[in-house]
Each structure stands twice: as C-alpha cells, then as structure tokens.
Amino acid sequence: MERPEPPILPSVLSGDTADIYFLRTRQVMERAGLNPRASMEFFPARDGLLCGMREVVALLKQVLPRDAEVWGLEEGETMSRKETVLRITAPYQSYGIYETALAGFLAQESGWATAARECVNAAEGVPIISFGARHVHPNVAAAMDYAAVVGGCLSCSSLEGARLASVAAAGTMPHSLIICFGDTVAAALAFDEHLPADVPRTVLVDTFHDEAEESLRVAEAMRERLQGVRLDTPGERGGVTSDLVKEVRARLDLAGFPRVQIFVSGGVTPERIVKMRQEGAPIDGYGVGSYITSSPPIDFTADIHEIEGCPVAKRGRIPGITLNPRLKRLL
Amino acid sequence: MERPEPPILPSVLSGDTADIYFLRTRQVMERAGLNPRASMEFFPARDGLLCGMREVVALLKQVLPRDAEVWGLEEGETMSRKETVLRITAPYQSYGIYETALAGFLAQESGWATAARECVNAAEGVPIISFGARHVHPNVAAAMDYAAVVGGCLSCSSLEGARLASVAAAGTMPHSLIICFGDTVAAALAFDEHLPADVPRTVLVDTFHDEAEESLRVAEAMRERLQGVRLDTPGERGGVTSDLVKEVRARLDLAGFPRVQIFVSGGVTPERIVKMRQEGAPIDGYGVGSYITSSPPIDFTADIHEIEGCPVAKRGRIPGITLNPRLKRLL
Amino acid sequence: MERPEPPILPSVLSGDTADIYFLRTRQVMERAGLNPRASMEFFPARDGLLCGMREVVALLKQVLPRDAEVWGLEEGETMSRKETVLRITAPYQSYGIYETALAGFLAQESGWATAARECVNAAEGVPIISFGARHVHPNVAAAMDYAAVVGGCLSCSSLEGARLASVAAAGTMPHSLIICFGDTVAAALAFDEHLPADVPRTVLVDTFHDEAEESLRVAEAMRERLQGVRLDTPGERGGVTSDLVKEVRARLDLAGFPRVQIFVSGGVTPERIVKMRQEGAPIDGYGVGSYITSSPPIDFTADIHEIEGCPVAKRGRIPGITLNPRLKRLL
Amino acid sequence: MERPEPPILPSVLSGDTADIYFLRTRQVMERAGLNPRASMEFFPARDGLLCGMREVVALLKQVLPRDAEVWGLEEGETMSRKETVLRITAPYQSYGIYETALAGFLAQESGWATAARECVNAAEGVPIISFGARHVHPNVAAAMDYAAVVGGCLSCSSLEGARLASVAAAGTMPHSLIICFGDTVAAALAFDEHLPADVPRTVLVDTFHDEAEESLRVAEAMRERLQGVRLDTPGERGGVTSDLVKEVRARLDLAGFPRVQIFVSGGVTPERIVKMRQEGAPIDGYGVGSYITSSPPIDFTADIHEIEGCPVAKRGRIPGITLNPRLKRLL
Amino acid sequence: MERPEPPILPSVLSGDTADIYFLRTRQVMERAGLNPRASMEFFPARDGLLCGMREVVALLKQVLPRDAEVWGLEEGETMSRKETVLRITAPYQSYGIYETALAGFLAQESGWATAARECVNAAEGVPIISFGARHVHPNVAAAMDYAAVVGGCLSCSSLEGARLASVAAAGTMPHSLIICFGDTVAAALAFDEHLPADVPRTVLVDTFHDEAEESLRVAEAMRERLQGVRLDTPGERGGVTSDLVKEVRARLDLAGFPRVQIFVSGGVTPERIVKMRQEGAPIDGYGVGSYITSSPPIDFTADIHEIEGCPVAKRGRIPGITLNPRLKRLL
Amino acid sequence: MERPEPPILPSVLSGDTADIYFLRTRQVMERAGLNPRASMEFFPARDGLLCGMREVVALLKQVLPRDAEVWGLEEGETMSRKETVLRITAPYQSYGIYETALAGFLAQESGWATAARECVNAAEGVPIISFGARHVHPNVAAAMDYAAVVGGCLSCSSLEGARLASVAAAGTMPHSLIICFGDTVAAALAFDEHLPADVPRTVLVDTFHDEAEESLRVAEAMRERLQGVRLDTPGERGGVTSDLVKEVRARLDLAGFPRVQIFVSGGVTPERIVKMRQEGAPIDGYGVGSYITSSPPIDFTADIHEIEGCPVAKRGRIPGITLNPRLKRLL
C-alpha cells in the first residue's frame, strides 16, 4: 500500500522551530551578500535504523532550488555510526535554517524505529503492535507510530499513525470500558454487539478477577466469537509471567478453547520477549509501548564539507565529500 | 511575563492521535447508552517535575461540560512516584478519548523538565540554555524547549519554544557561518556588523584553530565588543575539559580580556557539570542538548476510581478517590 | 513456661552416629591404657546465636563422671567467631566419642536460630512464625522449630517443635483443604464450624481467585469471626508484593473489615521484610520457612587445650584454657 | 550390596512432626465427612539429584490403603526444576498429614546428594569420603551420610550412615588421639598395634609439626605398613595448598615412600578440587564435610492436581495430572 | 645525623643517559646562536611524597651558572598532582640536556618514598624496614633504600642505601645461612658466637620446622640473648597470618619468653598491615620489599613557562610562572 | 651487531649494594669455617620475558672459581612462573653476597622487557621506540632502554641505552626546542639546517597550534625534506585519538604530502595500541614511555637445593636440583 506524503507543519516551514542562531546566520549572510553553494552531510551518533527521510525529502522538495542535489539512504535502511546518510548540495541560504528540523526528524524517528526493530528481532515472527502513543506528546504520536511500523511492527494503536504508515490501526479495549460496564463479560458482550465484524474480539482479562478465571468466563460467554484475550497484569500483581501465560493457555485448552489467542502487554522489552520465548510461553502477539517511546533519539551531526566545490571542514572532520556508495540520488 | 496559552493541534482535538480503542469504546458506550460520571486519576511512574499541565488544562477547557471538576498539581511542581497529580470528574464520554493525549503531554514534557532540572541543580547558579531542538522532531521542538525552561533553564534556542516559555531565545552562531566565511574572525566581525546591538556577541572558537589561539584572535579583533566565546570542541579533539577552560581563561586574562565570558557546549550532563565545578573550571554558562532530549518520558497511568460516586478500581489499584491535599481545583 | 528436657536418641548415646575414627580412638586408647583428663573447647566458625546447648547438656549429663566440669554459654546467647562457647573437662574416654554429636547439635541449631533472629530483627516487632518443617528431614523438624523459637519466632508450625519450645503450635490452613472443599468460602466455613474456638480463624486467600476478591468473599461470609487472611501468592502470580498487601487492606477497610489481619508467607527473607516495612505494607505477621531452613550450619571446631592440667594444643591453636569470662558452670 | 529399608521414627508416623494445619485439616474433613480420592504431585524448586525416595516409599507403604497408586523417579536420579518427581493417588485422608514429612525427606536429602555429586564430578575419579557428620544434628547424621553416598561418595564417616548406605565406614584418626598420646608417631604406632588389620593405616600429619616433616617421621617409623597420610592443615596455617601436597609427595618419594598415599581434608569444595587438579596436586582422596552439609535443602512443592478424577489446581498451577514419562510405579 | 651529598654518576653528568633529542637540541641551538634565559617547571602526575630533590640539587649545583635560580619543595615534603615542585631559571643551554635525569630522579624516588609512606602510615608506629634491594637493579638499590627511609622506614637492608640515608643497615639472616648449617638452632648459635654484640640476634624461624616449634627451639637454645624471631612463611605454607603471629606469641609467652620480639616479612602491604593490626596480631616490626619496589614511578612533566622574562607555554599549559608559595629558594 | 659486555659498577662488586645479612652470613660462615659447595636456583614470580642474564653472567664471571657451573636460559627467552631460569653450583662463599644483585638484575630488567614485549605484540609490526628514560633514575636509564630493546623495541631514546643494545638512538625534538624558537616552523627549519643528514626530520606538531594545522604548516615549509610528524597531544587537549590521526593523515594527503609519516606518543599502552589499530588509525610508529617504566619488577626467588651434592630445601620448596631441559651451560 502506497504511503501518503507526510505533512510538514507551517511553523517548521517558516523556521519558527529552528535554532535562533540559524535565523541570525541567514540575516548576517544576507546582509554580507554571501550565499555559497555548500555541501552539507549528516551522520548519526550510533548504529541503527534510519527513519524520517520521507519528511526530510518532503521538506527539502518545498525549499530547495532546481539545481540542488540531495543524496541519501532510504527510509528504513540500516546505518552505521558516523556513516554519511544524507548529503545536500545547494546554495546555503536555501536550506541553512532547516538544519534543526532535518536533524530532528532523523534523530527521533530513527531512535523509535531502531527500538521497534529490536523488539521485532527478539520476537522472531510473533507480531508486535506499537502501543506507545500515550507516552509521547500527541503532536508526534503519529510520527512515533509510523516509525515503529517502519521498524517492523505489524500495526500501531493511533489512528493517524496508522494512516501515515498505511496500516489498519490495532488495539483491544481499555480498562475504562470494563470499569464503566462494571464487569468484563458485560463489557465484552457489548463490544461484540456494537462493533463492526472486522474489529477483532480481543478481550482484556485482568480488570476484576484473576486472569485465568476471567479468561474462562469470557470464553464461556462469547465462545467461538472470542478471538483472543489480552493479559496486561499490573506490576502490583507481579506483571505478566511465562507461567501465567502457560496456565491461561492450559486452562483455555482444558475448557475447550484452543483457538482463543493470547496477547501480552505491559512492560514488554526485547529482553523479556526473549526470556518468555525461551521459557516456552505460548504468546500470539505483543503490545509494546514504553520500550519504543523511551528510546533516546539517535543524534545526528551536520557538517559542511565543500564550499563552491572546494573541500573544507571544521577541526575534527575530514574536508571534502565523504564517499558512501550506498547513497542514492533523492532529489 | 505572562505565558501565552499553548495551542492544541486540530488532530488532537479530533481524536485522530488517540489510541483506536478509545474511539471504539466511545462507540460501544454510545450505542449501549452508557455515559457515567467517572473520576479518572493520573499518576507518574517515577519521581520528577510535573510539566504539560498547561496543555492538559487547555485541552480539557475545550471539551469538558460545565459541571466537570478538574483537580491537579500546577506546572513545574515536583511529584512523587505513584502520586495522584490530576483528577478529572465528568461524564466519561466527554473526555475518554483524550486519555492518550493527556498522558502524552504529561509524560514527555515531565521527562524533559525533570532532566533539565537535574542540570540546573548541578550547575548551582551558572545559567543553562536548552540547545536540544535539533535532537527532537520539529513538531515538539517548542514543547521540549518550553519544558526545559519550566525545569529551570534560563532560555532556549528555538524561536517558538522561547515564545511558549516567554523568554528571549538564545544562541551564538553555528559552525556553518564560520565555514561559509572561511575564517572565525571574519565571521565574527560580520556578525557584529550586521546584527542588532541586543544580540550578544558570543563567538564559537573551535572551528579552524586551537580554541585558546582562536579565542585570542577573536578578542584581539573585537576587543570590548566581544561578550564571550563558546567552546564546543568535538569528541575527535577530546571534547571540552576543565583544563581547556582554565587555560583559555588564563590566556584571555593574560592578554587583557578578563571580561570575556566562556560558554561550554557539547555532551554536557549533570555529572560533567559537577565534575567541572569541582575541578574549578571558570564557566559562565552551559548549552545542554542531548541530556534533556534523550531523557525517557515519565510514563503516566490513568485509572477510574469512582463511577457515579461509588468507589471502584481495577485489580492492583485502590478503589475510591485518592486523597492528595496538594491538589488544587484547576477547572 | 518451663521447657521439657530434650530427648537424646538411643543411636546417639550408643555412638552409632559418631564418626568412626572416634570409635577407633576409643578402642586404641583403651587397649593402650590411656585415658587422661582432658579439657576440650568448642568454638564457632562465625558470629551468631548459640543454640543446641540444652541437648549438649542433656547428653553430657548422661555420660560424664561426677568429677567432670562443663562450662559454657547459655541457650540463645550471642556468640562471636572463634569464641569459646563450651568447655568440657573430664577423662577423655568419657566423652570423646560424642564430639561428633555435640558439634552437630550446636552447628545446625545455631544456624537455624541465627537465621530466625535475622528475620525477627528485620520485622521490628511484627510476629514471625516458623513455617519450615516441610523443608527439613522430619527427624529434625522439631529441633529446627525449637531453634527458630530460640531465635525469636513467636511460634512454629510443627506439633513436636512447639512442644520442645513450650509454645502453642501455629498455622492456618493448607491449599489442600480448600481444594478438597472446592471453594475457599466453603472450606473456611467448615473450618470455623468444626474446630475449637481457640484455633484462630485465619483463611488462606490465594487458591482460586484473586487475593483481594477472595479476601472480601471470605470476610463477607465469616464477618466478625474472621481473624485474618493469609496471602501466599505463588511466584507464578508474582508473589506477595507490598502493593498487594496495601490493596487488600484498603479493600477490607472499605468493606467494613478493618479488624481482619493480614499474614504473609512465601519466600519471606529479612531483605524482603525490611523492604515491605519501608514500603509501608500493613502486615500483621509473617510465616518464614526456607530462609531459616536453608541457612547453613555454623560449623564448630573442638580442640583439646589441656591434658592432665598441662597446656597443649595442635598447631594453629593456642595451648591452655582459653579465658572467657562469659562462661558459666553448666555441670 | 542390598541396602536395608530405612527406619521411620514413631513421631513421624504419629504425625507429631507434621505442620499443625494438616492435623487440623484432617479433623475438619473428618467431621465434614469429606475424604476424596486425590492426586498429589511433588516438584523441586531447582535442578538436582533426587534423594529421600526410599524413606518416602517406606512411609507410604505403612499408611496408604491397598488401592493407592504411587509413581515416582528412583533414588539417585537427576531431576529438573519443576519436574514432577512423585505422584500419590489415594484417599486424601490416608496421606494428607504426611505432606510435611514427605517434602522434608526429599528436600534435605536431595540437597545433600546434589552437593556431594558436584564434588564427585569435580574430582574426576579421585575418591571422596563424606566427613560432615559433625556439622549436622546427630538425628540426621546417618541420613546425610547416606545421601552423600547416593550422590557418589565412596564412603562416609558415621557408622549408622555407612550401615544405611551399605558401605564400610571410613576415617583416619582425630587430632585428639594424637594430642592424648602427645606425639604423632607414638599415636600412629599405637593405632597400628591395637586395631584390626583391615583398618587402613592413614595418619593425620599436621598436629604438632610441619606436615612434610611429620609425614617423613611417620613414614620412617611405620615404613611399609603406612598406607597414607592425611593433610588437614588449619586455616591459621594457610590450609592445604597444591604446593604443600606436591612437596609432601616429593619428599616422601625422595625418602623412598612412593606408595604412601596423600589424603586431603578441610574446606574442600568443588572449586578447590578443580583448582588443585588443574595445578597438578597428586591427591589420592578427599574428605568433604561442610560443602555438603551447608548446601541448602532443595525445597519441594506439593499440589493436588485431581480430585476424584477431575482436573483441578490452585491458581498458578495447571489442572490435571502432569505428564512425565520418566515416572515408574513405586507402589 | 647529617646525610652525605648524593654522588652523581659521570655518565649522567656527561649527558650519556639523556634522551638523544636533548643532545640534538643543544647542537641546533648552539649553531643557531640561541640560548635564552628560560624558566622550566616540573610537576608530578599524581599526589605523593617528593623524593630525589637532593640529587636534583647536587646535579644542578655542578652545571648551572652563578646567576641561575632554583626554587623547589624540599626532600620528603608531600606534593599534589600538577603542583609545581621545582623551577629552574637559567640560560636554557646550561641545563636543557639534564631534563631527562632530573625528571628521572624525582619520578622513581618519589614513587618509592610514597609507597613506603603508605606502609608507615598503615603501621601506626610499628617500625618498618625496607627489604626490597633484591627486587631492583643494584645500580639503584641504594637510591631505593634511601627513598624508603625518606618515606618513613626506620632502616633498610642495603649497606649503601643505609649510608646514603644515614641510618644503620638492618636485617636478620637469610635462609641460605640456615641451610648451609643444616639446622636453625646451629645457625643461630654460630651467628650469636661470631658477630659483634651490637648486631641484633633476630632469627629466621620458618626454614625447616613449623614456625611455632622453631621459635621455641631457638628460644630455648639462646634464651635471653635472643632478641627476636622473623616469620617469613612462604606462600606454599599459606604466608604469615595474624593467627600464626598470635600463636607464636602465645607459645613464646607460655614458655617464658615474653621479651622475644616478632618480625614479619613476605608480601607485606599496607592493606595487610592494617588487617593484621585490626586482627590484633602482636607484631614488633615489618620487613617490606616488593610493595615499595613495585610501585610505579610518579611521572614528572617539565615545561618552559617563561623565555627571557616573557610568559610562554605550549598548548595545554598556562603561560607564565606558576604561583606556589610553598617553594623555597634552593640555589 | 655484537652487543658490548655490560659494565658492573664497583659498588656492586664490592657488595656495598647487597643486603647486609648476606655480608653477615659471609662473616659467620668464614669464622665457622663453613663453605659448602651449594646449588642455588632462581625462579620468577610470574610469566614473562627473561632479561638481565648478560649482567648476571658478567658479574659471575668475575667472582666464581674455575670449577663453578652456571646453567640458565638466555637473554630474551620467555619464562614461566616458578620455572628455574638460573642455577649456580659453586662454593657458597664465592657468590652468596651477590644474591641481592643477581635477583635485582633479573627482576627489574625482566619487568621492563616483558612490558615492552606486550606493546610490540599489540602493534603487530608497527615500530615502537622506548621513550621512558625520563621516568627512571638515570643510573638505570640505559638498563631500562636496553631491556626495552630486548623486549622488541626498534630503538630507544637514551644514548647509553642505545649503546648497550647496539642500536642507533632515536627521538624527534622536544617542546623546549620549539618554545625557545617561538614557532614550530622556525624550529623545524633550524633543526633541518643544523643537523647531519642522517638524523630523521620528524617534527613535533602540537606545541602552539592545532595538530592538523601545524602539520600542514610544517609540511608546506619543509616539503619533501619532512619525514614525519609526531603527535604528542597533552591530556588537557584530549590526548591523541584515532580520529585525530585519521584527520591529520587526510589533510596531509589532501595537501599533497602522502609520504609524511605520523608518529604517536603520550600515554601509549598495549590496550590503546590495539584500540587504535582496530579503529584503523594510520600510525607509522609509537613512542612508549611510562607503560614500560611503570611495570613492576618480576620478583625472583633464590633457593639452595643441594649442599655438597645432597638434596636439601627449606619448607615450601622441593629438595634437589629442579629438572629443566631448557637450561644451557652458561659458565
């Protein structure tokens, strides 16, 4: 499915989100009549998965003159520490004030995508849904969910993130629904009654009773319409353990519900995924939130390496264009 | 200075950034004719500085009915792990879909503000400027800078962040300016010539020559108009060390420039601030970027504790309103 | 209450449990016509609480001649590493073969008593019951429980241990009872109906349902006759946490049962007791098993320091009686 | 050699060593007229060597009705954490009160046997004798020595332990013998003179003189009648080191006694055995005490999994008989 | 007692031990006709005790012209990391080639003196003798022993070192003496017979027999002429332990030799001194060797800070004379 | 090239540097008329490279009688912990007092050679020059440099050390030269003008300007006569990093000086050599100082193993000649 072009906020285009020294630089150079054709390169501070390039290109497309060149890696490619992943060659004044935004797109989205990829790798094929929208500022919830899907998540929970990533949003039901209905079975039956058929019937089973007990009550009530249960046991009750998953599986099987799936959420990390897999917990899917959202950005550095075709660099960098055969012409 | 009311993006108000299960919950309850007056409480997963409440209130003001009640701590107050910091009492359907956004405002901004506060505490009075806009998605650059100022930073580098926080944006000059001019002194003199008098003349001195040498060259050229130098030595040259700062100070003093200030940026953390202070480095200001931007969100949990005045709670939580005498009526 | 004299098994008195080399030594010395009056001293390998002295004295009383002297510390006194805690002066042949048994009484019982004391100290006044009979060989279950009471436990679970220690045995009910009845409430009511009034009505509440839910069900059924609930949550459900205790307390209070007490068992250690106390968990008593039973014995060394009044010692020990003003004449 | 059936103490059979709550359960169920046929399973808390099954069977044989079934692993087999090693199916009242004793037999003896096995594995064929009777309560000295032999020890020092394990008890001589004689050589000669020819002439050589010196004196005095020397150097003299063993071996060889063996005791652990083997210390046998006796019990859990043929289990366990093809019918 | 002026080897004065680049520098500057008056400062790389200044002054006295100035700390003073401890102001050519030797004197002797001081501090008044001559090249054995005495040792074992430090050399007897005599008592008696009365009769007691035994044999043989015993137990016998010292003390006292002193050598370090003191070992003196000789040199850096009265410095150092009020005029 | 026989100082030959107890032993044995033919063996306390044997042989040649035998390993061979590397058989009085000096030669030189070898191994073919003369007492500067060459260094900086090792001394220029000239280029040109053609033109480039800048200035001035630059960046400027080396290389290449070599000094250790190699730093040579000079001596122990042909040994050693087929007859 074709992904829509990501929107760029007006405040970004206007330079309002830029570091003020870039705005001042623009002013000084304008008044000094200086606007050399400059090549600027971006590299990351650590290994990871590159994400944010679609927004980078969307922004540059709107601001660069016709004779500019942009080379880079593509969305979702792996990258190494200090590897050049983006090179812009154009009159400096045409893009100088966007250094802040360009580095920002890449830094935060690459951080999220890289963390998502770690979970996906750990799960070895078991699907993962991005559940972290509640841990980030809503202005970037969609970008975060999009990056998680670029990192390999099957889907995500925010509507707008799913739209950006061209997937169907996923989720089960919140504790609030159950608490408003006052009973898990009642809430599950209402959910089943009122929602379209294509919404999966996955019921949250840790609200009022022990998970194993609640799973059986729900399964008895919904029978073959129940597609899965979600275990989200709070830390106060020890969190979800492999033993709990195995027991719920065993009790469901014993009661004749071998096709009801088990989803797990709450504090899921790559380490816990690996541990549960090694312990043989029969899990059909994970919801991952804070592991992805708490991953720090992968900081990017931008350096000018050529001015009007002459190699140049500040101390600590090597003058001249940095060779990287992986780069493709993007603009 | 009065801070402007923070804007709420239309996609947040429309619920497009919400987790899809809240939208489904709204649908189920609507069709089931259920809309109880519910009290929802929010608590953080660790100690910190609360930030994001102004956006919380700005959003709730637009969506809650007249008879709703909102109690909470105020922007910038300290909070403890598991302490109730926000309580909404209103018909559930009026605010249920905003749980994602409300938790998100608080999580990410409290994470940033708390990290900023750690730096501020470490610096014991030496001013700190937030320099991290380039490490976050531009859609939240302003929110991040705002949170850093709430955490105690004197100022920040993004224009929009400064506006939100009602401070004057701060910054010096980028390496790009100097590279475009081809020489630090030339760039400094142009900067001085073309910018208004109220822009501080602080020159970046690690681009082409050794910092001590460059500092002296700039001071000789600008003399009493030079307000400060910024050391941003790259890791490839060992980063900024206390010894370097002391030597630059000593050489400036020896050459007759005791009033030129020294600012330090690049990899600054509370630990490094404390170390440099203990080593006696004569620093007049810090620019802090990635320490603040790489701080993970402080996750928030939201629970319903009362339905139509009756205590209730899911397993793991204690039913009924949680007593917290620190809360004030916000709406 | 006066404690009964501890019984000594016939196989111990006969020397059948001794190391064979002591039996051979007896034979060699007998045939060589050697039986000097010898002073033997015992010291522990680490600090701790001395226990086992009552059995030591009970055994020596049966075997030593009238002119023997026995000096020692008393049951339950603290002792230091390498401190002389027992000295026997008598013809060597009268007690030589009992070195194995004497050291054994002291080693294992001091180990248990010392571990119990650590728990008691950690609990700062909250009562502790020894629950470890199931982790030791039944031939020493009573000795273990006795030592735990010497170490400060309020009571113990084995009948014979309680008899030795002159306390009333304590315990609640096993999961088996509840499983046989098929329901916690049914088992609790039968327990209440069929047992004498002086048996405390403390009900185990983690067998079939969530602890908080089960506690409320039992409390509603037994009302003021319910004295307490015991939380013994298995590791598969996360074990007992402070948050769980607090929540059960809160829910019981909310439902009008503030006088129902909460007992905790399962993996209790001094560290966990301290942690739960610091976290403010409202616990009325602990059952401690494996922490006490898995404590290693405190090994004792026995050395002859005088032969017929002359100082002597093997290499590594100091010849002559070791001065210790804390010793009292025991025989 | 056929091992004798282990005796069960009357206080165990009477239930006096049981946890009191089992006695109360018996009373409640009796009065309530409840005695279902129940299947109880036992599993260990960690991997190890199973020991104590002979006492388990000896006890159950005396108490179970004819139609009972007992399945289990056999004495000395390896077992894994959480593996079912014993299953009893019988009317609950016929065995309920013995849960404490059954778990106790297995816990402590498996702990000892497992530790012994670690030493035996480390020694790679060099014989090990259990020397720990002095570190345990004499009531279990025989059980401990028996378990050590099940774990692979060649023999043990207590007479009764050797009897249970159907081996000849082993040992050399105590320091007391030498101190009573006042000289190692004098004691050795008396030992040689007065004991039957089948008792090995192994002399302890660290009492009065340096071990190397004492070994030579004893060898010169006893010549070809000397079978070995035992080094038991106290910690105050640095304990036994590989270099000491090598030197004693070299000095004995140099003096013409290449057939005199060297035994080592005192603080021997698997780690030290491996280290000495790697350092090439020519050791002919080890005496191991506290490593075995200080090993914690391997706790066992007992759960009912079937009541009258129906699967059942408490929370945290999986209902129904646990499949384990390794189990054999024992009764 | 006045210490003799330390001799400077001819090869040092001739520059043969200098780094060749100083000899080349001399040649270049001579031919270029350059010989500015330069101030050179020396500072250490870590805290410590300054030693070697007497050789520094002895060398400079021979080479500097009359108008030179030398300021410095004095032999044996404490110094801090990076503190200026020596400043030479003179025509550069008069001392330039000696930079190697001057730094070398200070580096190695300060290293030794500092290590000696750590032992002396640990011993809290118990005398320490430097015994390390055998671990250093004989060309610096005297310098090492001298530095140890500057660091606080009471004496040292090398004749020439004692001469430099103006103390009487100290030592007991080597194992070789005893082995040549074939018996410790025989060697001790010969030692007593043939040496002047002022040589202390301290006998080494670990050569052939156990230390405690040998001590008693020697004491019985020499009686009141015995001043002390030295314990030098090899690692193969566990080294010297507090328990061994206590036992030897007790056995000597018991036998009527309370005035015989106990000296300890072999692997003595500040940590072991502190440990033995805390364990109450009654030690009358320590011999320390490898702790002192294995201490690394405290590297010194030499920098020119003034040329013909003008402040100057290489990058990384601060131009101009470094203020240090602790310096005294030495030449 | 044949190495000259190392000189032995008169004070060593006279015994003035010996431990005084050897001098006393000589006196006692002389007066007692004792001078047995004794075999003394030396072994090291840890693995390493043997060095100092040439001085050992040079000394023994001057003192041993004709019928003496000396067996040993050769200079520069590897040795194992506790391996016999030297055996002297001769009348004890002929060499007894030299035990201190013999052990001292071996201890300190083996320590240095072993450390040098570690650097050489790490560098995998890149040459290493010993630069540590300034960190040792000048009396052993030559011996240290000699040992470093035995350990594999290509050359060393001290004239006398180079003579002993039969290599040409190596070095570049000190900071002092540059500071006296006031400019690196001026100093470099004078160096070039005034020194013979066979002295390599390697210029130190971190004195006044950034290393990359200074390298280019020097290269431009000396052009093809410049053989190399030395980076010795002080810790205050972050020390030499791989990135710095790479950048200097790139800037030199870019400016047309691909044949100018890069040497690195300052805090070089095997770990840093390996790290820089793995990071791909293009280094042409290392100067190593303090890693070699701060290596502790490898202590040697000397024991008599035979007296007049009879095996003997002190406690802890094995009597008789120790078999070592690697030994060769040296005298």
Side-chain angles (χ1 to χ4, degrees), chain C residues 96-149:
Chain C
I97 63 165
Y98 299 112
E99 184 178 323
T100 313
L102 297 171
F105 289 135
L106 298 179
Q108 211 160 22
E109 297 196 29
S110 297
W112 289 322
T114 300
R117 172 60 52 94
E118 292 171 38
C119 297
V120 168
N121 286 344
E124 296 195 347
V126 176
I128 293 184
I129 311 297
S130 172
F131 262 25
R134 60 170 43 241
H135 302 314
V136 297
H137 196 286
N139 293 13
V140 289
M144 185 278 296
D145 267 349
Y146 163 80
V149 174

Side-chain angles (χ1 to χ4, degrees), chain C residues 73-197:
Chain C
L73 295 184
E74 286 180 356
E75 197 77 329
E77 289 196 83
T78 58
M79 62 185 175
S80 305
R81 176 173 175 271
K82 291 217 166 181
E83 178 180 13
T84 299
V85 302
L86 172 66
R87 186 190 305 119
I88 305 166
T89 303
Y92 179 76
Q93 291 283 58
S94 67
Y95 66 87
I97 63 165
Y98 299 112
E99 184 178 323
T100 313
L102 297 171
F105 289 135
L106 298 179
Q108 211 160 22
E109 297 196 29
S110 297
W112 289 322
T114 300
R117 172 60 52 94
E118 292 171 38
C119 297
V120 168
N121 286 344
E124 296 195 347
V126 176
I128 293 184
I129 311 297
S130 172
F131 262 25
R134 60 170 43 241
H135 302 314
V136 297
H137 196 286
N139 293 13
V140 289
M144 185 278 296
D145 267 349
Y146 163 80
V149 174
V150 168
C153 286
L154 185 72
S155 179
C156 59
S157 65
S158 79
L159 208 61
E160 193 178 318
R163 214 178 282 141
L164 262 182
S166 290
V167 298
T172 57
M173 60 180 57
H175 291 105
S176 299
L177 176 71
I178 297 168
I179 290 180
C180 286
F181 272 91
D183 178 67
T184 302
V185 170
L189 292 175
F191 187 91
D192 182 37
E193 179 183 350
H194 296 304
L195 289 180

Side-chain angles (χ1 to χ4, degrees), chain C residues 19 31 82 134 157 236, chain D residues 19 82 99 157 194 236:
Chain C
D19 290 303
R31 293 187 185 167
K82 291 217 166 181
R134 60 170 43 241
S157 65
E236 290 87 347
Chain D
D19 290 303
K82 291 218 165 180
E99 184 178 322
S157 64
H194 295 304
E236 289 87 347

Side-chain angles (χ1 to χ4, degrees), chain E residues 188-200:
Chain E
L189 292 175
F191 187 93
D192 183 35
E193 182 183 346
H194 295 304
L195 288 181
D198 62 341
V199 174

Side-chain angles (χ1 to χ4, degrees), chain B residues 59-129:
Chain B
L59 169 56
L60 291 176
K61 220 191 298 186
Q62 298 182 50
V63 301
L64 289 187
R66 190 157 300 198
D67 66 341
E69 274 189 36
V70 178
W71 291 73
L73 296 185
E74 288 181 356
E75 196 77 328
E77 289 197 84
T78 58
M79 61 185 176
S80 304
R81 176 175 175 269
K82 292 216 166 182
E83 179 179 11
T84 298
V85 302
L86 172 66
R87 185 189 307 118
I88 303 165
T89 303
Y92 179 76
Q93 292 281 61
S94 66
Y95 65 87
I97 63 165
Y98 299 112
E99 184 178 323
T100 313
L102 296 171
F105 289 134
L106 297 178
Q108 210 159 22
E109 297 195 28
S110 296
W112 289 322
T114 300
R117 172 61 53 93
E118 293 172 37
C119 297
V120 168
N121 287 344
E124 297 193 347
V126 176
I128 292 185
I129 311 297

